[in-house]
Amino acid sequence: MFKNVMVYRIGEGFAPSMADVQAALEPVQFVECGASQDKSIGWVPPRGEAHGPLVESVAGQWIMKLMIESKAVPGNVVRRKADERIAEIEAATGRKPGKKEKRELMDEVLLSLLPQAFARQSTVLVWMDLENRRLVLNAGSQGKADEVMSALMNVMGGLSVSLIQTVTSPQAAMTQWLLAPTPDEWPADLTVERETVLKSSGEDAASVRFTRHHLANDDVRKHVMEGKLPTQLALSWDGRVAFVLTDTLQLKKVQYLDGVMDESGTDKKEDRFDADVTLSTGLLGPLIDSLIDALGGEMELGVAAGDPVPSTTRTVHNSTVNTGAAAADEEDPPF
């Protein structure tokens, strides 16, 4: 259900009812792109039922889903068509269009081609845990997460969020785990698995990727000692969930290990959504808690970390979100 995880802390004082959230989302339900529209964003029923509620509560956890549809026309096609129009103008009038006219021609060509472009849809699942003041997104990139945050901030007054910051940065902790002489040095409930990406800083930015490779060995330690630091590390939690931790505290490639899905206790299609939500949130909540503990706990706002992650500041409407280097955009798996 959640293949990627980005975790935000919800600010104090935000305590809406489900009716409040439903009423806020209804005016911005998803509508497909019009003929000359290149993008459309809106909320859809998370259960997948037509005309269903836009927020579902399962075991006390609120689930929403944002739909993003976009249409793109290749830039080289737009330029070629615009060049043809420019050549026609030059042949007919004997003059060359100026910069402003060329830009207007490009816009006209783009609008004329949009109705022929294929629409691409993706969804982002949103999990709101008000009891623990946590907002979790199934987003694989910071750009996609920012779109969700903008959509939420536009309709939910009083909502403020910030990315969780830990006392020890994920990169510093992953480095310690890779240098550990024995698995006994790893955090409780967490196991280092067989995949990592190590990158050096500087102009060359050399990198090495280990896949299906035992990481507790001198070869890996040598790379780390030479200055190649982990940006991704495969881990498993409690023998139940496998994931890849990034240096920006994102969880990617989340998957439940053998036998875990059997805990849902139902095979009925109509009960599958509730069972999946219950199982996913019931596992990911404790996993997130364990991971934050392994990283030294959550850093209080306004307190400098001992190992800060290099960060940029993103302002989303009235909310400031501190992030590490933005990950490359990628398509989220369909839900």
Side-chain angles (χ1 to χ4, degrees), residues 42-83:
W43 299 94
V44 296
R47 196 179 289 271
E49 298 176 349
H51 311 297
L54 299 175
V55 55
E56 293 275 359
S57 178
V58 180
Q61 308 302 316
W62 295 1
I63 302 293
M64 298 165 281
K65 188 192 288 188
L66 186 73
M67 175 78 78
I68 302 170
E69 182 178 83
S70 59
K71 294 194 294 186
V73 179
N76 61 335
V77 175
V78 175
R79 286 190 293 272
R80 177 166 55 83
K81 293 291 186 181
D83 288 342

Side-chain angles (χ1 to χ4, degrees), residues 100-210:
K100 181 181 179 182
E101 189 174 358
K102 286 181 179 179
R103 286 196 299 269
E104 292 173 348
L105 283 171
M106 293 278 283
D107 291 340
E108 290 176 7
V109 169
L110 177 59
L111 286 175
S112 68
L113 293 175
L114 276 175
Q116 305 171 43
F118 289 104
R120 184 181 185 185
Q121 292 183 344
S122 63
T123 60
V124 181
L125 205 62
V126 179
W127 162 25
M128 187 175 288
D129 180 357
L130 290 179
E131 181 178 352
N132 292 300
R133 291 196 301 110
R134 202 150 53 195
L135 186 73
V136 180
L137 308 182
N138 181 25
S141 70
Q142 187 62 54
K144 189 67 67 69
D146 285 350
E147 288 190 296
V148 179
M149 288 296 101
S150 294
L152 283 172
M153 298 293 173
N154 280 336
V155 296
M156 293 192 184
L159 174 63
S160 64
V161 298
S162 59
L163 278 170
I164 287 178
Q165 300 288 321
T166 52
V167 173
T168 301
S169 73
Q171 186 168 74
M174 291 188 292
T175 300
Q176 294 171 5
W177 301 339
L178 288 175
L179 291 176
T182 68
D184 293 337
E185 303 295 322
W186 297 339
D189 298 329
L190 289 176
T191 301
V192 174
E193 297 296 342
R194 290 154 46 92
E195 178 182 339
T196 190
V197 176
L198 307 175
K199 289 186 178 181
S200 61
S201 58
E203 295 182 1
D204 61 343
S207 65
V208 58
R209 177 186 294 271
F210 291 91

Side-chain angles (χ1 to χ4, degrees), residues 195-270:
E195 178 182 339
T196 190
V197 176
L198 307 175
K199 289 186 178 181
S200 61
S201 58
E203 295 182 1
D204 61 343
S207 65
V208 58
R209 177 186 294 271
F210 291 91
T211 305
R212 296 186 295 276
H213 192 93
H214 182 60
L215 300 181
N217 62 57
D218 291 339
D219 187 25
V220 174
R221 295 189 190 99
K222 182 174 181 291
H223 280 291
V224 175
M225 294 299 292
E226 290 174 348
K228 296 185 184 74
L229 301 181
T231 58
Q232 297 183 29
L233 179 64
L235 299 167
S236 61
W237 172 77
D238 197 30
R240 309 175 82 191
V241 184
F243 61 98
V244 173
L245 176 65
T246 77
D247 56 353
T248 57
L249 198 54
Q250 295 182 33
L251 278 60
K252 295 180 176 291
K253 300 181 182 179
V254 176
Q255 58 180 329
Y256 305 125
L257 300 178
D258 291 344
V260 171
M261 292 305 296
D262 296 337
E263 299 175 20
S264 63
T266 181
D267 292 323
K268 297 179 180 179
K269 183 178 179 181
E270 60 268 24

